């Protein structure tokens, strides 16, 4: 998001579960577009709340899985926050070879990029 639209919006990444580290295939395919994820810390919705992120300050939550959509809807019952579900391919577990796995991750990455452009317009930042 920041790569496409800079700092015109505050963006926070969160998931349903906390993982120890970001997926290496995600790091690799995002690096192809100049997006550095190596130092990205994966956090859960619960951690965001514990760290003081006030959900009422957000306008939109984009869920990429049915589980995250359910969690977002549960968390936002008392807030006026939009929740959108973007059905994106889950590349984990797909492909037998490294290249096949990377192809699945690229497909998911590109689906997310296409959805961002459809929702928020053409990128405003130059790569």
């Amino acid at each position: 998001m920041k790569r496409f639209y800079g700092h015109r919006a505050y963006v926070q990444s969160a998931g349903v579960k906390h993982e120890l580290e970001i997926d290496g295939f995600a790091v690799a395919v995002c690096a192809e577009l100049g997006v550095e994820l190596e130092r990205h810390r994966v956090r859960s919705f619960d951690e965001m709340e514990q760290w003081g992120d006030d959900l009422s300050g957000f306008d939109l939550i984009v869920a990429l899985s049915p589980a995250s959509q359910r969690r977002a809807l549960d968390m936002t019952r008392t807030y006026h926050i939009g929740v959108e579900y973007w059905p994106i391919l889950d590349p984990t577990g797909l492909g037998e070879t490294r290249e096949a796995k990377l192809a699945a991750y690229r497909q998911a990455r590109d689906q997310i990029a296409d959805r961002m452009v459809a929702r928020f317009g053409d990128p405003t930042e130059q790569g």
Side-chain angles (χ1 to χ4, degrees), residues 60-127:
L60 176 67
I61 295 175
V62 175
L64 302 181
S65 72
S68 63
Q69 179 189 27
R70 282 189 302 276
R71 181 72 170 115
L73 289 170
D74 285 344
M75 292 180 64
T76 60
R77 278 187 221 170
T78 58
Y79 300 110
H80 186 69
I81 302 171
V83 176
E84 293 182 10
Y85 171 55
W86 294 359
I88 302 298
L89 169 77
D90 179 359
T92 57
L94 297 180
E96 296 291 322
T97 65
R98 176 174 169 72
E99 271 312 306
K101 289 179 184 298
L102 286 170
Y105 276 78
R106 286 181 189 111
Q107 184 179 354
R109 174 203 64 198
D110 294 345
Q111 286 177 347
I112 293 168
D114 291 345
R115 290 299 297 250
M116 285 191 310
V117 170
R119 175 64 167 85
F120 303 110
D122 290 330
T124 57
E125 295 291 306
Q126 297 299 318

Side-chain angles (χ1 to χ4, degrees), residues 1-21:
M1 187 81 180
K2 289 177 187 170
R3 174 81 160 91
F4 277 33
Y5 305 105
H7 295 284
R8 81 176 201 199
Y10 178 70
V11 177
Q12 188 62 264
S13 174
V16 176
K17 298 184 289 186
H18 168 74
E19 301 291 331
L20 294 177
E21 57 188 56

Side-chain angles (χ1 to χ4, degrees), residues 29-48:
V29 300
C30 286
E32 294 172 353
L33 298 181
V35 176
E36 188 267 313
L37 291 181
E38 289 174 341
R39 291 179 282 154
H40 182 77
R41 186 184 179 317
V42 178
R43 74 192 98 230
S44 68
F45 283 122
D46 293 331
E47 284 178 312
M48 281 182 63

